[in-house]
Amino acid sequence: MTKTLNLALQGGGAHGAFAWGVLDRLLEEDFKPRALTGTSAGAMNAILLAHGWQQGKAEGAKALLETFWTQVSLNSPGELLGSQFHDTQITSMTGWMMDLLRYISPYDLNPLDINPLRYLLEELVDFEQLKDASPMKLFIAATDVSSGKIKLFRENELTIEHALASACLPTLHKAIEIDGSYYWDGGFSGNPAVYPLIFDCKEDDIMLVLLQPLQGYELPTTSQAINQRVTELGFQSTFLREMRAISYTIQQAKGCYFSTNGLERRFRSLRFHLIESGEVFSSLEQASKYDTRQIFLQELKEKGRLTADQWIKENWQKIGNKPSCDLEPLFL
């Protein structure tokens, strides 16, 4: 029997290859996602999955995701330096470059706003076709620079500009202008946004695919570790607040079991599932999010596949029946 499962895909640069592995394994099961919400790299994975499905169902989605992440690695600076430097040296150089970019505006450094991601998406995704007949709902998050509010772009309006807006890091690229407003990476306002899967969808099963561990961090004491954790919190705080509100509302709704209120019934019916990176990323430096070498992306993909495979063995039968994770100890 085909399982229906909506997915919330977190962003995290090159770490999105872990989610690629998760999706690659999930797509081997008898399942169809009805809706996807994604931010930054999560938005790329969502768009590619939807368009690939449009071309050839699950196999088409697997193939397009494979093509995208393989192409991402081809022009990687780390790939070009790989034969001359060790992994730690490449990561250190990447970190140094990212620190330097904090003091140089992309409006000065990259006035033509050259973005390899634009060229790759133009090659792989027919946005007009996706707009006309997307096989699933899409909620692509970006951040309005002026107001700081989250903006969710839907499948019937998606263009390459919307996709780039979701992944626009302000230290690397100019803000993306859409209809007179300017947008940065969606991670500042929702990474990922979960509420549309509750209020704009009918399905009860929601899977969170996270790239930042929820627990298990050691106290950062070096300046590098402190700065890394500060950055992570900045991109995770809105998600944590949203999930805390959702968890609290579910808790309250369960206490009103006989209520006929439609909103309370909706929250009582929700079944959450979670696949997270666990220890995969806890030991990696922040700069590894910009490491697009093929060997690194493939390693993350395989770890994502293994994590998803273990989750499937333990929890697949719970989809449609009961949640496989308890939100309260994680978010309350």
Side-chain angles (χ1 to χ4, degrees):
M1 180 179 177
T2 301
K3 301 281 189 179
T4 58
L5 181 66
N6 291 341
L7 300 172
L9 306 177
Q10 196 169 58
H15 292 181
F18 175 88
W20 164 34
V22 170
L23 297 174
D24 191 70
R25 178 63 186 88
L26 287 175
L27 288 165
E28 294 172 0
E29 299 297 316
D30 185 12
F31 119 95
K32 179 182 179 181
R34 301 290 185 184
L36 302 166
T37 178
T39 298
S40 196
M44 301 306 112
N45 281 330
I47 291 169
L48 292 160
L49 190 157
H51 190 46
W53 193 287
Q54 191 176 34
Q55 296 174 322
K57 299 298 178 65
E59 287 303 315
K62 282 169 62 71
L64 194 58
L65 284 163
E66 176 86 28
T67 300
F68 173 83
W69 285 101
T70 300
Q71 290 290 324
V72 164
S73 70
L74 291 183
N75 296 317
S76 166
E79 196 71 39
L80 299 175
L81 297 172
S83 60
Q84 304 176 47
F85 298 93
H86 298 298
D87 290 358
T88 53
Q89 291 175 311
I90 292 174
T91 301
S92 296
M93 285 188 289
T94 303
W96 178 81
M97 291 175 61
M98 297 311 299
D99 286 339
L100 180 62
L101 289 173
R102 295 181 182 181
Y103 304 98
I104 305 176
S105 167
Y107 292 82
D108 298 323
L109 183 65
N110 186 12
L112 298 179
D113 203 28
I114 297 172
N115 187 347
L117 181 59
R118 176 184 294 275
Y119 307 133
L120 183 53
L121 289 175
E122 287 176 346
E123 177 185 348
L124 297 181
V125 180
D126 185 336
F127 283 92
E128 287 300 319
Q129 184 182 31
L130 189 60
K131 281 197 299 184
D132 290 341
S134 175
M136 53 201 68
K137 294 180 179 179
L138 293 174
F139 304 91
I140 304 303
T143 303
D144 187 304
V145 179
S146 177
S147 67
K149 294 179 180 179
I150 189 171
K151 175 68 174 181
L152 293 178
F153 300 115
R154 296 298 308 275
E155 69 281 355
N156 58 359
E157 64 179 331
L158 272 183
T159 67
I160 193 168
E161 301 302 322
H162 298 105
L164 293 174
S166 184
C168 179
L169 288 176
T171 55
L172 291 177
H173 298 288
K174 295 180 181 181
I176 302 296
E177 182 181 2
I178 300 172
D179 297 330
S181 296
Y182 291 89
Y183 296 95
W184 282 344
D185 193 294
F188 294 111
S189 54
N191 191 24
V194 180
Y195 69 88
L197 300 183
I198 298 174
F199 297 107
D200 295 303
C201 301
K202 297 180 181 179
E203 294 75 25
D204 295 329
D205 289 272
I206 298 173
M207 173 174 281
L208 309 174
V209 182
L210 305 184
L211 304 181
Q212 293 189 35
L214 293 172
Q215 298 175 329
Y217 281 98
E218 295 182 357
L219 177 67
T221 56
T222 66
S223 60
Q224 182 180 17
I226 291 170
N227 288 330
Q228 176 173 326
R229 187 59 178 142
V230 168
T231 300
E232 290 171 343
L233 289 174
F235 275 90
Q236 197 175 24
S237 59
T238 53
F239 168 73
L240 293 176
R241 284 196 297 270
E242 182 182 7
M243 289 307 303
R244 178 179 176 82
I246 291 171
S247 303
Y248 179 78
T249 305
I250 290 175
Q251 183 187 67
Q252 296 301 305
K254 287 180 179 178
C256 305
Y257 189 81
F258 296 103
S259 171
T260 58
N261 180 281
L263 188 59
E264 290 178 344
R265 291 203 309 270
R266 175 59 176 152
F267 275 89
R268 283 201 304 270
S269 71
L270 293 175
R271 295 181 291 267
F272 274 90
H273 311 279
L274 171 66
I275 292 182
E276 65 169 330
S277 50
E279 298 179 355
V280 174
F281 297 129
S282 60
S283 61
L284 294 179
E285 296 181 13
Q286 181 76 11
S288 66
K289 291 184 177 182
Y290 307 97
D291 185 353
T292 55
R293 291 173 301 146
Q294 186 175 28
I295 188 172
F296 183 62
L297 297 182
Q298 287 293 332
E299 180 183 352
L300 292 183
K301 177 196 176 184
E302 290 308 311
K303 289 180 177 179
R305 279 188 57 88
L306 288 172
T307 303
D309 186 68
Q310 186 62 37
W311 186 90
I312 289 168
K313 290 176 181 177
E314 297 175 357
N315 300 295
W316 192 250
Q317 296 306 316
K318 295 179 182 178
I319 299 175
N321 297 305
K322 58 182 179 180
S324 62
C325 73
D326 185 0
L327 298 184
E328 290 185 22
L330 293 174
F331 299 107
L332 288 181

